[in-house]
Amino acid sequence: MSLVHFMSFSEAREFHVVDDKASWQIPASPDTYEKWAQKNRFLIGDSILFKYDKKLDSLVEVSEGDYKTCSRSHPIKSYNDGNTKITLDKSGPRFLISGTDGHCEKGQKLEIRVLSANHHHPAAAPSPSVRNGSHHHHAPAPAPHHSGGEMLRAGVFVGAAMAIMFALV
């Protein structure tokens, strides 16, 4: 059971933009998407799900300059399936805007910062091995917010090692 529990912390997470309903739309407040992105911590391997009416809207990934001006003239990638899942495969900023005229200008845009698995964010929970200046000597387990390729590989390796040890006992 502890093996399954340990490995579950290593899995990537899926985020639903704002909520589980039709979430990619003109927001009630222009800073809705900005606030949502700021309260979440995105790591390599995570994914973001955008739900929208594909007859009325779309999603466009753009450069930072195009994001600031709400320009769709040089898209990095465009999506129009109404149920778009974007996997975060590298660290750094990602800029997404609505593909419908006037929507970006009304706040339908999202900037996210993808952190590497080794990045420690000031707002993140302390490392499980050090809390309040004291060291714990328990078996290491990553915090629930850590994910990504490196943590997944570490979890699989430790899980395999534990399975072998239990098989030998």
Side-chain angles (χ1 to χ4, degrees):
M1 182 154 137
S2 61
L3 172 64
V4 173
H5 180 71
F6 178 81
M7 289 180 66
S8 69
F9 288 134
S10 300
E11 295 175 8
R13 300 164 298 159
E14 182 175 277
F15 292 88
H16 295 250
V17 176
V18 183
D19 59 32
D20 292 333
K21 299 173 185 156
S23 57
W24 188 242
Q25 57 194 2
I26 296 173
S29 172
D31 61 354
T32 298
Y33 293 113
E34 179 182 352
K35 286 181 179 178
W36 178 82
Q38 288 174 352
K39 75 176 185 174
N40 288 293
R41 184 173 179 199
F42 305 100
L43 299 173
I44 295 172
D46 289 346
S47 60
I48 301 178
L49 183 62
F50 295 82
K51 293 183 180 184
Y52 51 93
D53 184 338
K54 67 182 180 179
K55 295 176 185 171
L56 302 174
D57 212 338
S58 63
L59 179 68
V60 182
E61 185 165 1
V62 296
S63 68
E64 182 175 9
D66 286 346
Y67 174 83
K68 289 178 179 179
T69 62
C70 288
S71 173
R72 301 181 317 272
S73 58
H74 301 98
I76 294 170
K77 191 156 187 179
S78 297
Y79 308 90
N80 61 3
D81 63 357
N83 196 37
T84 302
K85 182 177 179 179
I86 297 177
T87 300
L88 306 174
D89 57 358
K90 61 183 177 180
S91 62
R94 301 280 293 264
F95 302 96
L96 301 144
I97 64 174
S98 170
T100 302
D101 288 339
H103 286 204
C104 177
E105 292 82 358
K106 294 178 182 174
Q108 191 178 352
K109 60 184 190 173
L110 176 64
E111 174 185 352
I112 59 168
R113 299 283 170 176
V114 182
L115 305 174
S116 67
N118 294 330
H119 185 85
H120 297 285
H121 191 273
S127 167
S129 62
V130 179
R131 292 183 194 257
N132 301 326
S134 64
H135 294 274
H136 296 280
H137 298 287
H138 303 165
H145 295 290
H146 291 273
S147 65
E150 292 177 27
M151 293 304 294
L152 180 58
R153 285 190 292 276
V156 171
F157 176 76
V158 171
M162 290 175 65
I164 291 169
M165 287 184 351
F166 285 124
L168 295 175
V169 173

